[in-house]
Amino acid sequence: MDRRAFLTATGLAGAATAPGPLTGVARAAGPADSALVLRALTRLTADTMSGLAVFVLPGPDAYSRAQGTPRREPGAIEAGVPAFLVDALNRYLPFPDQVAVPLMRALVQGAGSLSLPAPREGDAQAGTVRRVDAGLRRLLENDATIPLAPVVALLLNLEAVRVDPLAVGGPFLSPFARLRYARKARVFQLLEGPDPTLVAILDRHLPEPLRGSVSGLLKFLAGALLELTALGSYSEWAVFDPQTRRLRGRPVGWRICGYTPSADGWDEHRGYYQGRKQVTG
Amino acid sequence: MRDVIVVGAGGGGPVVAKELAAAGLDVLLLEAGAHHTDPRASWTHYENDANNPLTGFLRFGPSDRSKPAWLREEPQNSYVLQVAGVGGTTQHYYGNSPRAFRGLFAGYEGPDRDAYDTEHAFPFPYEELVPYYEWVEATLPVQTAAMGTKEAVFFRGAEQLGIPVQTTKDTLHASYRPQENAILQPGGTAGRTTDPARLHYPQATGCTYCGFCLQGCMEPIRAPRNQFAKRSTDNSYVPMALTAAAWSPQGRNATLIPDAFVVKVHTELRDGETVATGVTWRDGRTGERHREDARVVVLAGGATETPRLWLNSGLPNPNGWVGRGYTDHFLDGVTGLFDEDTGSSKGPSSAARCDFPGRGALEGLGLPPAMQAFIMALSDSGIRGRYANGRGMRGPWDGRSGRVLGPELKDALGNGVNRLLNILILTGDDVQRRNRVLLSAFPPDEHGAVPKVVLDGRARTRRTVGNREFLARKATELLRRAGARRVYRFDWAPLLLHVHSSMRMGRSAADSVLDSDAESRWVRRLYVADNSALANSLGGPNPTLTTQALATRTAEKIFIEHFGGRPWVRDGNPVVSTDPRISRALR
């Protein structure tokens, strides 16, 4: 029952049965159950990152409406921030597999002892849950390469259902994405705290020498996620063409804040304060 | 066998390399990151492309941008914002070049002496450093910053703080002034047009007011590398080191190897003493390892990497102070929203400041939108209006300190990125043993155990905390008097931009790694010439100029002690780094 609660609460079981396009992280084709889990993780991660992106820059999208802060102007979804986050976390945040995989394993093994909301009627079928469970076990036993973004997604979703048990069901795949704005903030409050219950569980299931590092890791991650999202939201990332090093359009963030750069200079020279061009001594 | 190997081509290492190459020594300069030899061909002024700490061309990572950045473990909410590559973190610095406060040096007897961390003072008097300051100021060169709109707004507020304007290089009391910047003053059409066709060198010289100090300087268009406006070391000291034979009568060109990450310092026992003999580095492109020997080794990889290299090399650490005493100016940010144009994203990014000796300093901070959002999302006080993380300070600013996120961030930036003014708070922070770099228990990378930076923003000394609160109030007052209608204070989590003193020199052998010549106390012929060699955080002033002055002094000490040379700074005439002989030799 605990396993089923974990898989349902994190949204993973639901993501395993959801239709939809695949992008991003799934890379290892393997036994069918493992492939199923990787596909589910990919979908769940994209959905969770959408919930995070609009938390920092809301817009006119469904995720912003769900958190109760819809805006007319474009926001993080239009700025491509969910994909920015997946890319940054998976490919560039230099967390070695030897950290991400044990963390994932500790989450899976330890989360059963959190008091999670029970799966509801209509949640993923028992057969699917069993397959997801088996696939996840196989992935973790085989030391698969699991990038960081899905680990972060599971963390956010797990905390989401602890903040609001009703988030276990609803629109989207990600419980975190279902939260109202104030409750998303509560998730970050827990992570930054850091949440002593989660720290204790993860530390208990982490191998040496990583044991004892969870508290700092959660505080760092919580901060970095918000700062990185803010950077990406107001940057040119979504419209930058790395081949030509030119922009394909005007970035969302620039439109919001009225920014128009002049690449090589401005006519801003206003002379010298009190006419003084040099000082000595 | 080289005469000298310098590890790291950031703010300090190239200074030693240039000075000793000018004196005729055979100098090898090793840099872990890229050498951006043609910025116009590989850089842009786009913020994510430049400054994303994971992916940008100005990141701490290998030159191959398809590979991940290099790992540091940070067991707290913090961010080490260091830059690899030739020029190091000066590639994205603002060129601010104030001198240190005198109260942080031995022998200071001013009436405010108790306001300073005198327990960790420099082991020599301030006056001893002045000739080296003057030498570096003439070499870079350092010049009084011109104004733009944001400086006019800043001064409007500063003039009402009841403190005088400073008209000297030395800071003697609380004051405000234009920055002394390592940025060439605008000449010709620079600062007077937005038309790129009129911003070519030599029609335009010096700062063109592009507003992209943080993205690396490549202005004016087609200027020789040593004529780019901002005097990051890739534009100043490195070109000088590489062309020393062209401008110094006895000069010998230094050798630079980029993509060379030093992983070990070698030593041997000589007459009962441990002596440095050379280094091994890993070539980032091929993975091959190379070793070279030298008569003297100078470490300059920065306040995080230098202790890491020391510890990974198994060098002695008898008093446990290697990596300890890490200071960071406990930076904070305050932003005011205005109903008028402030030009915040235009011009040299920081051109006005206030100094409060015994407290710290304030400076203007101009930013384009993505970094503006980044600094508003950084806090140790949680999210404004939601949770305060046990902090959430109240004061003359609006509401509690904390992150500005979501709808509030959108509204604040929607007011206009050029209708706000940021003030950066540089706290005079005390050296504390507990703040440190050590080796992480995380899996090692290809360069050995990774550094773990432990810096608890909540366990600062009472004096440090008091200084920061004083400065946050002054910054808010400045903004209000300048006309801000709303002021945010963020209470930043440690943003590690100014980092120092983690291999500190000191008077006491009990709490320092280096002696007063910047030589290691326990390994002969091993020196440190980056910010980590500083005895303390200077009381708040930006560290690069002082590191460069100290590195000049260290180069002179090395030349006298190990190569039988004579000093040159007191009686010599420095060659300015914009000298046309350097431009010609670079072609």
Side-chain angles (χ1 to χ4, degrees), chain A residues 190-231:
Chain A
L190 277 175
L191 290 174
E192 278 205 272
D195 178 357
T197 312
L198 187 63
V199 168
I201 285 169
L202 290 177
D203 260 342
R204 195 156 55 239
H205 288 87
L206 273 177
E208 292 290 356
L210 298 177
R211 194 168 292 169
S213 62
V214 170
S215 167
L217 193 62
L218 290 184
K219 285 191 268 190
F220 174 77
L221 264 182
L225 283 175
L226 295 175
E227 294 141 22
L228 202 59
T229 307
L231 179 89

Side-chain angles (χ1 to χ4, degrees), chain A:
Chain A
M1 188 61 190
D2 285 343
R3 304 279 296 175
R4 189 178 169 204
F6 168 76
L7 296 172
T8 311
T10 53
L12 195 55
T17 53
L22 285 176
T23 54
V25 298
R27 40 183 142 149
D33 292 347
S34 299
L36 175 75
V37 170
L38 282 173
R39 279 199 302 274
L41 277 172
T42 303
R43 289 190 178 117
L44 179 65
T45 301
D47 208 48
T48 311
M49 294 303 153
S50 298
L52 170 59
V54 300
F55 182 58
V56 173
L57 178 56
D61 57 279
Y63 294 93
S64 300
R65 285 199 299 279
Q67 73 177 6
T69 65
R71 303 279 296 216
R72 276 195 203 139
E73 329 83 39
I77 300 300
E78 290 73 25
V81 176
F84 167 86
L85 286 169
V86 170
D87 189 52
L89 292 173
N90 283 354
R91 293 176 57 200
Y92 294 105
L93 198 68
F95 268 78
D97 297 338
Q98 301 97 311
V99 176
V101 173
L103 199 58
M104 178 83 133
R105 196 176 285 137
L107 261 180
V108 173
Q109 291 168 348
S113 53
L114 293 168
S115 43
L116 298 172
R120 304 181 314 176
E121 289 300 318
D123 287 343
Q125 297 298 309
T128 305
V129 172
R130 270 196 301 277
R131 283 190 66 199
V132 172
D133 196 18
L136 195 55
R137 271 178 211 277
R138 188 167 296 128
L139 269 181
L140 293 173
E141 281 163 8
N142 291 345
D143 279 337
T145 300
I146 295 179
L148 192 61
V151 183
V152 168
L154 291 185
L155 266 175
L156 289 174
N157 290 325
L158 203 56
E159 294 290 45
V161 296
R162 297 185 64 220
V163 166
D164 181 6
L166 292 179
V168 78
F172 315 128
L173 302 174
S174 154
F176 179 79
R178 293 170 188 145
L179 295 180
R180 304 289 285 179
Y181 192 86
R183 288 190 161 137
K184 288 183 180 177
R186 173 73 185 141
V187 166
F188 276 91
Q189 184 177 10
L190 277 175
L191 290 174
E192 278 205 272
D195 178 357
T197 312
L198 187 63
V199 168
I201 285 169
L202 290 177
D203 260 342
R204 195 156 55 239
H205 288 87
L206 273 177
E208 292 290 356
L210 298 177
R211 194 168 292 169
S213 62
V214 170
S215 167
L217 193 62
L218 290 184
K219 285 191 268 190
F220 174 77
L221 264 182
L225 283 175
L226 295 175
E227 294 141 22
L228 202 59
T229 307
L231 179 89
S233 292
Y234 287 88
S235 84
E236 80 289 352
W237 183 80
V239 294
F240 179 71
D241 181 345
Q243 301 305 315
T244 62
R245 299 188 297 128
R246 289 170 185 269
L247 302 188
R248 292 186 291 257
R250 189 155 187 238
V252 165
W254 296 14
R255 281 186 264 162
I256 292 167
C257 69
Y259 176 69
T260 304
S262 173
D264 291 299
W266 283 105
D267 47 354
E268 267 279 302
H269 189 13
R270 300 283 180 272
Y272 293 84
Y273 188 64
Q274 298 178 338
R276 199 166 25 252
K277 283 191 74 174
Q278 67 173 30
V279 299
T280 55

Side-chain angles (χ1 to χ4, degrees), chain B residues 533-544:
Chain B
L534 300 175
N536 51 54
S537 75
L538 314 179
N542 317 54
T544 304

Side-chain angles (χ1 to χ4, degrees), chain B residues 483-495:
Chain B
R485 62 171 167 78
R486 188 167 182 78
V487 178
Y488 294 109
R489 181 187 174 192
F490 307 115
D491 179 29
W492 284 351
L495 179 64

Side-chain angles (χ1 to χ4, degrees), chain B residues 153-154 156-158 160-161 334-338 340 384 394-400 421 423 472-489:
Chain B
V153 177
F154 185 100
R156 189 200 304 157
Q160 299 178 65
L161 291 181
V334 175
T335 296
L337 301 191
F338 288 74
E340 62 177 312
R384 274 168 53 89
R394 291 188 187 279
W397 43 87
D398 290 285
R400 287 173 177 260
L421 195 69
I423 294 184
R473 283 172 160 70
K474 283 290 177 194
T476 304
E477 184 184 349
L478 189 156
L479 288 171
R480 294 250 192 246
R481 289 181 183 276
R485 62 171 167 78
R486 188 167 182 78
V487 178
Y488 294 109
R489 181 187 174 192

